Amino acid sequence: VHTTDFPGNYPGYDDAWDQRRFEGVFRVDIIREEEGALEFDMVGIDAAIANAFRRILLAEVPTMAVEKVFVYNNTSIVQDEILAHRLGLIPIRADPRLFEYRNQGDEEGTEIDTLQFQLKIKCSRNPQAAKESSDPNELYFNHKVYSKHMTWVPLGNQTDLFPDADFRPVHDDILIALLRPGQEIDVLMHCVKGIGKDHAKFSPVATASYRLLPDITLLQPIEDEAAEMLQKCFSPGVIEIQNIKGKKVARVANARLDTFSREVFRHEGLKNLVRLARVRNHYIFSVESTGILPPDVLVSEAIKILMGKCQRFLNELDSVPME
Amino acid sequence: VQADGTDGNCVTFVLHDEDHTLGNSLRYMVMKNPDVEFCGYCITHPSESKINFRIQTRGALPAVEPFRKGLNDLMSVCQHVLNTFEVRVFLKSS
């Protein structure tokens, strides 16, 4: 639904853009901040801009991911291209702001735009295993290839540029392939900087979404059994029942917790007594990061990218003469 | 960026490498300008990444002006959002 508060739409209302009025109304509240997830509110902003932030978080914040895989030896069951695909999807803990994009057509890769990783592992039989054991953990060495086996190989002067950096996959326990004795994998990987629009492996968020704050109004006072039924219709915690003068009266306690299942409308008696709506400009964002960058950094980067886009067009407007 | 149109008042900008992300938010900012009579954008074909952004002004104002003002307003919105957000993160962490 598009916003309709444009100047001229409603006579008598002055809806023209006013930066001061926006700054007076706008606020951000951080609700919950965990390891890799952030939940925050933006109040006073419009859908178009909130959606722009969400789209940028998903598709245009750059990260580093494995792009080229040089396979020297792969005698495992997993095919080369499947292995390369799996390696590309592994999130790499490397701050993408320290690197540049690779130029088009540049095959080799320089120090400033490429990270090199090596995965070299060979499975062998364990001579000390018991005769009748059938547990692969006992029988074989190295039969599970995890992401912790990927090692960083510094290119050129990267050891000087990043003296105390430790580039490795975010999670050590991602299973890449399974091996049996005699099979080995020997690959060299190049990581480059890219954006989610190009390939989903470059997306820095597990997911980024927003919802609007629900607005539940009781059109009439609801009492006794109807109040009990009403409380069951909504998610727990939304409606609370108070004892006023001996009667149980329902009251909306916390509309934020509601998941909007619209169960109320299935009951004939309660259908007309409740109005379900959404607060138009109160957005509850939920950003979960894959671990490469913390979620608050991701949101800041997304806002900066939107500013960068505007700046790009402003510069073009000024430099190119308009006919 | 390419521009063409009949006279200075109604101009269609062709923005390359853009999609709904910038298109919708810029359209919103330009529509808030009381001098603009018509503003809209469309994606010419989903396989190509470019948008047609059209602005028509009432009166004799050249159409480039609301475009520039819209971009500047969007920049200032982003700047304010960024500042507010970073202040909040800082307050929460300390």
Side-chain angles (χ1 to χ4, degrees):
Chain A
V1 178
H2 290 265
T3 46
T4 50
D5 53 347
F6 300 122
N9 213 350
Y10 298 116
Y13 281 86
D14 173 32
D15 287 321
W17 178 253
D18 189 358
Q19 176 79 9
R20 276 191 310 273
R21 197 168 49 189
F22 166 69
E23 287 182 12
V25 179
F26 181 69
R27 65 167 210 270
V28 173
D29 298 317
I30 302 206
I31 308 294
R32 208 175 49 213
E33 190 169 355
E34 278 159 25
E35 252 315 302
L38 178 65
E39 189 178 329
F40 67 98
D41 280 8
M42 268 207 224
V43 187
I45 203 172
D46 183 65
I49 308 180
N51 196 30
F53 290 144
R54 184 194 63 91
R55 286 176 68 101
I56 295 181
L57 273 170
L58 281 174
E60 298 195 36
V61 180
T63 53
M64 304 285 292
V66 174
E67 174 93 6
K68 281 204 162 48
V69 173
F70 299 96
V71 181
Y72 292 116
N73 190 357
N74 176 20
T75 41
S76 73
I77 288 288
V78 179
Q79 294 90 348
D80 290 346
E81 61 267 16
I82 308 287
L83 183 66
H85 182 244
R86 287 176 74 85
L87 289 169
L89 292 172
I90 298 173
I92 308 278
R93 175 169 292 156
D95 191 340
R97 296 169 287 186
L98 299 170
F99 296 92
E100 305 281 327
Y101 287 101
R102 192 182 269 200
N103 295 326
Q104 295 263 9
D106 183 9
E107 287 298 323
E108 275 303 315
T110 61
E111 296 114 15
I112 198 62
D113 59 35
T114 315
L115 269 181
Q116 217 177 39
F117 283 88
Q118 191 181 44
L119 178 64
K120 198 174 159 97
I121 193 163
K122 189 175 163 73
C123 179
S124 51
R125 205 179 286 275
N126 183 3
Q128 274 109 23
K131 264 300 170 38
E132 276 81 31
S133 129
S134 59
D135 178 17
N137 290 327
E138 238 187 69
L139 283 174
Y140 316 121
F141 287 135
N142 285 344
H143 71 283
K144 282 190 183 163
V145 181
Y146 287 107
S147 52
K148 66 173 185 258
H149 296 128
M150 283 168 64
T151 51
W152 176 45
V153 176
L155 269 181
N157 63 348
Q158 276 181 347
T159 28
D160 307 318
L161 278 176
F162 313 112
D164 43 333
D166 172 30
F167 295 123
R168 55 188 171 79
V170 175
H171 306 281
D172 283 333
D173 51 356
I174 300 178
L175 184 63
I176 303 177
L178 288 176
L179 299 176
R180 283 296 180 264
Q183 295 178 347
E184 76 173 283
I185 295 183
D186 181 5
V187 299
L188 193 66
M189 296 164 264
H190 278 194
C191 292
V192 292
K193 185 168 162 174
I195 55 176
K197 240 201 257 197
D198 179 27
H199 193 287
K201 70 189 176 199
F202 292 115
S203 182
V205 291
T207 188
S209 64
Y210 67 80
R211 63 189 178 105
L212 273 75
L213 182 75
D215 181 20
I216 304 172
T217 3
L218 299 175
L219 297 169
Q220 290 169 27
I222 301 185
E223 298 164 357
D224 295 332
E225 283 162 13
E228 295 273 328
M229 208 155 67
L230 192 73
Q231 193 178 42
K232 285 199 187 62
C233 286
F234 287 100
S235 314
V238 177
I239 303 268
E240 88 178 343
I241 301 198
Q242 289 173 329
N243 247 316
I244 298 185
K245 296 184 204 158
K247 278 199 295 199
K248 294 193 229 175
V249 180
R251 192 180 73 90
V252 178
N254 191 359
R256 200 198 165 87
L257 299 169
D258 191 32
T259 50
F260 244 71
S261 61
R262 300 170 86 93
E263 172 77 18
V264 200
F265 297 123
R266 289 182 61 216
H267 299 273
E268 283 303 323
L270 298 176
K271 219 158 55 167
N272 302 322
L273 305 177
V274 182
R275 188 172 62 205
L276 287 179
R278 298 245 187 215
V279 178
R280 215 141 189 184
N281 58 0
H282 186 135
Y283 294 90
I284 304 174
F285 275 80
S286 155
V287 178
E288 275 181 40
S289 158
T290 45
I292 304 177
L293 289 171
D296 42 306
V297 174
L298 283 175
V299 178
S300 309
E301 286 296 307
I303 305 177
K304 285 180 201 155
I305 287 179
L306 188 57
M307 284 203 289
K309 281 185 196 254
C310 295
Q311 191 61 46
R312 189 161 72 98
F313 285 114
L314 276 172
N315 293 341
E316 277 209 46
L317 256 188
D318 292 331
S319 59
V320 174
M322 295 277 126
E323 329 83 42
Chain B
V1 179
Q2 265 172 259
D4 55 29
T6 49
D7 51 25
N9 290 352
C10 36
V11 176
T12 304
F13 298 93
V14 178
L15 308 178
H16 293 273
D17 282 336
E18 287 302 330
D19 58 354
H20 300 285
T21 310
L22 189 66
N24 200 19
S25 37
L26 191 56
R27 177 197 64 85
Y28 172 76
M29 298 312 292
V30 174
M31 278 295 276
K32 283 287 205 179
N33 191 341
D35 292 326
V36 167
E37 193 184 333
F38 171 84
C39 169
Y41 80 101
C42 67
I43 306 228
T44 41
H45 190 279
S47 306
E48 320 180 310
S49 151
K50 65 181 183 178
I51 61 176
N52 282 353
F53 195 91
R54 185 173 173 86
I55 301 183
Q56 226 166 284
T57 58
R58 65 173 108 248
L61 192 66
V64 193
E65 266 319 299
F67 187 57
R68 192 179 301 237
K69 184 169 183 302
L71 282 171
N72 280 322
D73 286 341
L74 192 55
M75 287 267 295
S76 48
V77 168
C78 289
Q79 187 67 50
H80 180 69
V81 171
L82 186 63
N83 294 342
T84 323
F85 182 73
E86 291 197 333
V87 163
R88 279 291 164 178
V89 169
F90 180 68
L91 286 176
K92 183 96 178 173
S93 63
S94 59

